[in-house]
């Protein structure tokens, strides 16, 4: 049944609630308006239909803003080149009162320019039924052109009273997407009423194998493809494969599965273009509810709105033991559970589930002397605990600079060389959370069962900021499994922000590096071709008329410079940024490689240095008993038959994988523990209290 309510749109036109469940109920329009902070509005931004075209190509790059009382409370992701975008994004908004409607505005994103308006609508909150999921269809209108059809936006909304104190709520997931000074915040909350609250129900392991017969997007008849994956708030971007229509990626990554029925993975393929927007190649989806568990599925997906196929391997597995509990109840203090954990990672269970290396328990006790982020001289701090791509949060303690959380987090360790990151934020209802401090703790440096005060550092982890946080951490792991896992590729942390550049790097590295490197490379190729006599006339000309050729080259360079001046300002900025990012990353990789070799011999990480010594000793013993030619023969047979035995195996180099676990000099500084003020010692505090 379809019930229609007369509510306000951008031009006082009605919009439609599509109710899937027909039950008797009344709206809350006649109910007295609640006290501030008494309502929670859960919104799912579904999709848009027949939106207005704002770009020259007849498409748009739409995104959506939600506003209440002139304050922006949510911003969606940008869907490029699509008039029927699918967002499927959730937002949890705390509403002080129902007098202010929810204002929805849609824009077309334009890099470097003012975004184009695509329409707006109002949602009258007083017309919503409490505790009822309602599907809403909002026709978009432009107040200046009320007769224009700008399409519709589809939402699902739930309005519920906010009962109890906010401190009783445990926040499970929050992530902010930022684009310059604009933002959006997504929060999912769950009551912490159980002994252990498992956050995700399973793991989705995805291997991107290859692409076949992709659409050519460049003038040379090829493309530079890469693929983006999205499951809920989780995102992953593959590496770029230059100049090919049949790319071989061989990349593996994991997503967390929160919904019991599965969920849908959105996949888009793109062509990388330097100096302008990337071209859209095609899209496809994977419905996880249709896949059986504990089984690897090979999927050949046809790209819609484009050409070609993507080949994936998808495996759904049961969730590892990741949980949140109160400080009064934790696994390691229960003798029976502790014995089970120790047995699980005993030396006798070396070959049982090699991915399960160990167990980590983190007690987040309290913080002291935090920075005041609010105008009242207080903060609303909450704590984020991260291990690779596993991310858990505490509840928020409001208006306090010395909060006590008293929470216990448990993680499964997949790599003993991972780094535990604990970050403290200030919650802000109207904008993204403010950073208060952070610590990074390598798992191998942890002393079990010791409560320590860690000095909070800045975002770059290069210096201290205000405040300390008290943690007690325990690590239990199988050393043999940890050693074997060292020789496979390191898990990529796919929620990190991309590197940004400074003006100095833009001017210095781009001009010097590009000119010097390109001149050397072009000169080397040209001289080599002359000596190889690839073109006899050119080789003769090289010896006879060198001077004239050089003059011609200068004229050609001048012509290229004139052509480059005609490029648009935005395209130049794009090109400069991309080249500088590449240069910066290459310099970092080269420097880090040398530093990691040095730190291996410096015993920066004793576990890795001992592992290298053991491996060399074993190789020496093998050489003593087995001739080198037989070892080389076996190695060659293994390499040549690897693709036959395992066609979809991910290529790796064990030596490089080992070195990737050794910290560079920059990481050594980031992981260095700062000495706290002696007055923050827990022992001294206790002694003073007794005195």
């Amino acid at each position: 049944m379809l019930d229609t309510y007369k509510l306000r749109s951008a031009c006082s036109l009605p919009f439609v609630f599509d109710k899937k469940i027909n039950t008797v109920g009344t709206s809350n329009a006649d109910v007295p308006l609640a006290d501030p902070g008494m309502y929670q509005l859960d919104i799912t931004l579904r999709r848009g239909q027949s939106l207005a075209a704002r770009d020259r190509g007849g498409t748009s790059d739409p995104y959506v803003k939600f506003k209440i009382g002139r304050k922006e409370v949510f911003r969606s992701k940008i869907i490029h080149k699509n008039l029927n975008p699918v967002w499927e994004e959730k937002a949890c908004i705390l509403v002080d009162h129902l007098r202010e409607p929810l204002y929805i505005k849609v824009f077309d994103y334009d890099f470097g320019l003012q975004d184009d308006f695509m329409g707006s609508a109002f949602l009258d909150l007083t017309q919503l039924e409490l505790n009822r999921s309602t599907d809403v269809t909002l026709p978009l209108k432009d107040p200046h052109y009320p007769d224009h059809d700008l399409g519709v936006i589809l939402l699902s909304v739930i309005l519920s009273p906010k009962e109890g104190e906010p401190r009783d709520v445990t926040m499970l997931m929050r992530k902010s997407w930022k684009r310059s000074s604009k933002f959006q915040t997504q929060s999912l909350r769950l009551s912490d009423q159980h002994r252990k609250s498992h956050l995700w129900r399973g793991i989705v392991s995805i291997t991107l194998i290859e692409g076949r017969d992709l659409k050519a997007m460049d003038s040379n008849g090829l493309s530079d493809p890469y693929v983006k994956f999205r499951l809920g708030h989780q995102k992953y971007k593959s590496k770029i494969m230059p100049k090919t229509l049949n790319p071989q990626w061989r990349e593996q990554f994991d997503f967390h599965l929160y919904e019991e029925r599965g969920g849908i993975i959105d996949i888009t393929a793109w062509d990388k273009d330097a100096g302008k927007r990337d071209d859209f190649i095609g899209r496809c989806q994977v419905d996880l509810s249709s896949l059986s568990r504990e089984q690897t599925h090979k999927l050949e997906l046809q790209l819609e709105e484009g050409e070609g196929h993507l080949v994936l391997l998808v495996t759904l597995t049961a969730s590892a033991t990741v949980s949140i509990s109160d400080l009064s109840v934790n696994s390691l203090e229960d003798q029976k559970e502790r014995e089970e954990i120790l047995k699980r990672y005993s030396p006798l269970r070396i070959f049982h589930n090699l991915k399960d290396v160990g167990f980590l328990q983190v007690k987040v006790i309290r913080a002291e002397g935090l920075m005041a982020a609010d105008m009242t001289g207080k903060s609303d701090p909450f704590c984020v605990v991260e291990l690779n791509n596993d991310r858990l949060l505490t509840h928020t303690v409001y208006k306090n600079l010395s909060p006590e959380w008293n929470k216990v987090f448990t993680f499964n360790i997949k790599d003993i060389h991972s780094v535990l990151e604990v970050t403290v934020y200030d919650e802000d209802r109207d904008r993204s959370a403010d950073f208060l401090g952070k610590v990074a703790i390598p798992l191998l440096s942890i002393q079990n069962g010791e409560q320590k005060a860690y000095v909070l550092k800045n975002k770059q982890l290069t210096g201290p900021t205000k405040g300390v946080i008290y943690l007690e951490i325990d690590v239990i792991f199988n050393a043999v499994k940890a050693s074997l896992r060292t020789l496979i590729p390191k898990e990529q942390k796919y929620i990190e922000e991309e590197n940004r550049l400074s003006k100095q790097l833009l001017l210095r590295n781009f001009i010097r590096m590009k000119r010097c490197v390109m001149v050397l490379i072009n000169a080397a190729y040209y001289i080599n071709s002359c000596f190889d006599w690839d073109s006899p006339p050119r080789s003769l000309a090289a010896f006879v008329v060198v001077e004239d050729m050089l003059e011609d080259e200068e004229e050609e360079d001048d012509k290229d410079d004139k052509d480059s001046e005609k490029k648009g300002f935005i395209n130049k900025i794009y090109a400069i940024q991309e080249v500088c990012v590449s240069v910066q990353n290459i310099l970092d990789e080269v420097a880090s490689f040398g530093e990691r070799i040095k730190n291996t011999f410096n015993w920066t990480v004793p576990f890795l240095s001992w592992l290298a010594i053991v491996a060399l000793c074993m190789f020496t013993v093998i050489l003593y008993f087995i001739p080198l030619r037989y070892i080389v023969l076996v190695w060659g047979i293994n390499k040549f038959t690897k693709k036959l035995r395992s066609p979809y195996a991910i290529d790796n180099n064990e030596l490089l994988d080992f070195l990737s676990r050794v910290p560079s000099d920059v990481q050594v500084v980031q992981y260095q523990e700062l000495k706290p003020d002696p007055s923050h010692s827990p022992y001294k505090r206790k002694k003073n209290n007794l005195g």
Side-chain angles (χ1 to χ4, degrees):
M1 181 179 178
L2 187 66
D3 296 331
T4 304
Y5 295 84
K6 300 293 182 181
L7 300 177
R8 293 180 296 168
S9 70
C11 293
S12 300
L13 295 177
F15 59 84
V16 178
F17 287 90
D18 300 328
K19 295 192 176 180
K20 297 181 179 179
I21 302 175
N22 181 23
T23 58
V24 178
T26 60
S27 73
N28 61 350
D30 298 327
V31 178
L33 296 177
D35 293 330
M38 288 299 292
Y39 284 97
Q40 177 173 309
L41 183 63
D42 294 294
I43 307 175
T44 302
L45 174 61
R46 298 292 186 192
R47 62 186 185 276
Q49 291 181 352
S50 304
L51 300 185
R54 291 290 187 257
D55 295 337
R56 292 181 179 178
T59 63
S60 293
D61 305 315
Y63 67 92
V64 180
K65 290 182 182 179
F66 292 165
K67 287 188 174 182
I68 294 181
R70 297 185 179 181
K71 293 182 179 179
E72 184 176 326
V73 295
F74 174 82
R75 179 187 293 265
S76 76
K77 65 179 180 179
I78 301 167
I79 304 295
H80 292 279
K81 299 184 179 180
N82 200 323
L83 299 182
N84 297 283
V86 177
W87 284 284
E88 291 296 337
E89 295 187 50
K90 296 181 179 179
C92 176
I93 304 171
L94 295 180
V95 182
D96 289 342
H97 52 76
L98 303 182
R99 298 185 186 90
E100 294 285 351
L102 178 69
Y103 189 31
I104 297 99
K105 299 182 74 173
V106 184
F107 291 89
D108 168 56
Y109 170 66
D110 287 325
F111 176 81
L113 303 173
Q114 184 175 358
D115 295 344
D116 298 321
F117 178 71
M118 296 178 63
S120 62
F122 284 113
L123 175 60
D124 191 343
L125 302 183
T126 63
Q127 296 295 320
L128 296 176
E129 296 184 18
L130 297 179
N131 301 316
R132 163 80 63 87
S133 178
T134 308
D135 292 336
V136 183
T137 301
L138 297 170
L140 296 173
K141 295 295 178 180
D142 188 339
H144 300 291
Y145 305 97
D147 296 333
H148 289 190
D149 183 8
L150 302 180
V152 297
I153 292 291
L154 285 77
L155 311 172
S156 292
V157 294
I158 302 176
L159 182 66
S160 55
K162 193 70 177 174
E163 299 177 356
E165 293 295 326
R167 68 178 65 245
D168 297 332
V169 179
T170 297
M171 299 191 323
L172 296 187
M173 188 63 62
R174 171 183 301 168
K175 185 175 180 183
S176 298
W177 290 272
K178 296 184 179 179
R179 182 165 61 84
S180 61
S181 63
K182 302 175 182 178
F183 67 93
Q184 66 175 11
T185 301
Q186 181 185 54
S187 302
L188 302 178
R189 296 172 179 252
L190 183 67
S191 209
D192 187 17
Q193 298 172 347
H194 306 286
R195 180 174 179 269
K196 286 186 177 180
S197 176
H198 292 269
L199 303 189
W200 43 86
R201 300 175 181 272
I203 302 294
V204 184
S205 180
I206 302 171
T207 303
L208 174 61
I209 302 298
E210 62 186 2
R212 297 175 184 170
D213 303 321
L214 300 183
K215 186 176 181 180
M217 306 302 295
D218 297 336
S219 58
N220 58 5
L222 299 173
S223 293
D224 305 311
Y226 65 93
V227 181
K228 291 182 178 180
F229 295 81
R230 182 182 179 92
L231 177 61
H233 66 275
Q234 303 169 93
K235 300 178 185 177
Y236 179 81
K237 179 181 175 182
S238 75
K239 59 187 176 184
I240 300 168
M241 304 301 293
K243 298 180 181 179
T244 179
L245 299 180
N246 297 282
Q248 297 284 326
W249 282 287
R250 308 293 171 122
E251 295 184 45
Q252 192 276 330
F253 59 96
D254 294 337
F255 279 155
H256 294 143
L257 188 61
Y258 292 89
E259 299 182 21
E260 190 167 354
R261 63 178 181 272
I264 294 178
I265 301 177
D266 293 313
I267 305 170
T268 54
W270 300 83
D271 167 57
K272 181 66 176 179
D273 283 331
K276 57 181 180 179
R277 291 184 183 177
D278 297 346
D279 297 321
F280 177 75
I281 296 178
R283 70 171 67 250
C284 56
Q285 291 184 334
V286 177
D287 187 356
L288 298 178
S289 62
S290 63
L291 303 180
S292 57
R293 306 264 175 148
E294 308 299 336
Q295 181 180 348
T296 299
H297 305 268
K298 179 185 176 183
L299 306 178
E300 297 185 10
L301 305 174
Q302 171 73 42
L303 289 176
E304 301 174 2
E305 305 175 31
E307 300 174 6
H309 296 77
L310 293 179
V311 180
L312 312 175
L313 299 180
V314 181
T315 307
L316 277 66
T317 58
S319 174
T321 307
V322 181
S323 65
I324 302 175
S325 64
D326 291 325
L327 189 62
S328 58
V329 182
N330 64 80
S331 301
L332 295 182
E333 289 188 2
D334 187 325
Q335 189 61 32
K336 186 176 180 180
E337 286 195 37
R338 185 181 183 89
E339 290 176 358
E340 290 180 358
I341 293 171
L342 290 172
K343 182 179 178 181
R344 189 193 313 165
Y345 302 108
S346 68
L348 301 177
R349 296 172 63 87
I350 296 175
F351 299 104
H352 179 74
N353 191 4
L354 290 175
K355 291 185 178 181
D356 186 12
V357 171
F359 174 85
L360 172 67
Q361 177 178 280
V362 183
K363 295 181 182 179
V364 181
I365 301 169
R366 68 179 186 277
E368 291 182 352
L370 296 179
M371 186 187 310
D374 298 337
M375 297 181 64
T376 59
K378 298 288 184 180
S379 293
D380 304 321
F382 67 93
C383 189
V384 180
V385 184
E386 295 178 84
L387 184 67
N388 294 329
N389 292 307
D390 295 344
R391 178 183 172 94
L392 306 177
L393 290 80
T394 68
H395 60 281
T396 301
V397 179
Y398 292 94
K399 301 186 185 301
N400 202 319
L401 299 181
S402 298
E404 292 192 10
W405 292 289
N406 293 324
K407 291 292 181 182
V408 180
F409 301 90
T410 63
F411 299 87
N412 271 80
I413 300 173
K414 292 178 283 187
D415 188 348
I416 195 59
H417 309 289
S418 301
V419 177
L420 176 68
E421 296 182 0
V422 182
T423 312
V424 182
Y425 292 95
D426 168 64
E427 180 182 350
D428 199 316
R429 183 180 302 177
D430 298 324
R431 54 191 175 89
S432 58
D434 297 321
F435 176 86
L436 296 180
K438 180 178 182 179
V439 293
I441 309 168
L443 298 186
L444 287 172
S445 68
I446 291 172
Q447 298 177 356
N448 285 351
E450 180 182 357
Q451 181 179 328
K452 296 182 66 175
Y454 292 89
V455 176
L456 294 174
K457 297 183 178 181
N458 55 27
K459 286 185 179 180
Q460 295 75 29
L461 296 171
T462 54
T465 187
K466 193 173 181 182
V468 297
I469 185 168
Y470 290 90
L471 306 173
E472 183 178 327
I473 311 173
D474 289 272
V475 177
I476 299 173
F477 69 98
N478 185 301
V480 178
K481 285 185 182 181
S483 301
L484 295 175
R485 291 284 292 177
T486 305
L487 304 179
I488 67 173
K490 188 177 182 180
E491 181 181 3
Q492 180 182 353
K493 190 170 182 181
Y494 48 80
I495 62 174
E496 289 182 331
E497 294 183 357
E498 296 182 356
N499 294 329
R500 296 185 179 182
L501 300 170
S502 63
K503 292 181 180 179
Q504 292 80 4
L505 181 62
L506 190 68
L507 296 173
R508 182 181 59 201
N509 286 6
F510 175 70
I511 296 174
R512 293 173 58 193
M513 293 294 295
K514 185 179 180 182
R515 285 183 178 176
C516 294
V517 172
M518 293 307 298
V519 167
L520 291 174
I521 291 176
N522 291 334
Y525 276 124
Y526 188 85
I527 294 172
N528 185 62
S529 66
C530 291
F531 282 109
D532 290 342
W533 288 82
D534 293 337
S535 174
R538 186 175 61 186
S539 298
L540 288 173
F543 288 100
V544 177
V545 285
V546 175
E547 211 168 19
D548 293 337
M549 184 195 66
L550 289 175
E551 291 176 359
D552 293 339
E553 284 186 287
E554 290 175 358
E555 291 176 2
E556 186 176 352
D557 288 341
D558 293 338
K559 184 179 179 181
D560 290 339
D561 291 339
K562 292 178 182 178
D563 291 338
S564 65
E565 291 175 359
K566 297 178 182 178
K567 293 182 179 179
F569 175 75
I570 297 175
N571 290 349
K572 288 182 179 180
I573 294 296
Y574 263 126
I576 291 172
Q577 287 179 342
E578 290 176 0
V579 171
C580 289
V581 166
S582 300
V583 171
Q584 183 180 16
N585 292 340
I586 290 172
L587 291 175
D588 179 65
E589 288 178 6
V590 173
S592 297
F593 183 78
E595 292 167 355
R596 288 187 172 109
I597 295 175
K598 178 196 70 174
N599 291 335
T600 301
F601 291 97
N602 284 349
W603 290 76
T604 302
V605 182
F607 181 91
L608 290 171
S609 299
W610 277 115
L611 181 59
I613 290 175
V614 171
L616 290 174
C617 292
M618 291 177 63
F619 187 68
T620 303
V621 173
I622 292 172
L623 280 177
Y624 181 79
F625 291 102
I626 303 175
L628 180 61
R629 60 180 179 272
Y630 293 135
I631 297 176
V632 174
L633 180 63
V634 172
W635 175 83
I637 292 174
N638 175 66
K639 282 291 183 183
F640 280 105
T641 61
K642 188 175 182 180
K643 292 294 182 184
L644 298 176
R645 291 182 282 109
S646 183
Y648 302 116
I650 299 175
D651 296 329
N652 72 299
N653 184 297
E654 288 78 6
L655 180 59
L656 294 180
D657 292 333
F658 171 86
L659 288 175
S660 69
R661 268 53 174 216
V662 182
S664 64
D665 288 352
V666 174
Q667 291 172 324
V668 169
V669 173
Q670 292 175 341
Y671 303 156
Q672 187 175 7
E673 186 178 334
L674 301 179
K675 293 183 178 180
D677 190 331
S679 62
H680 288 143
S681 170
Y683 173 78
K684 195 163 188 177
R685 275 174 55 94
K686 186 174 181 181
K687 186 175 180 181
N688 291 338
N689 292 337
L690 291 174

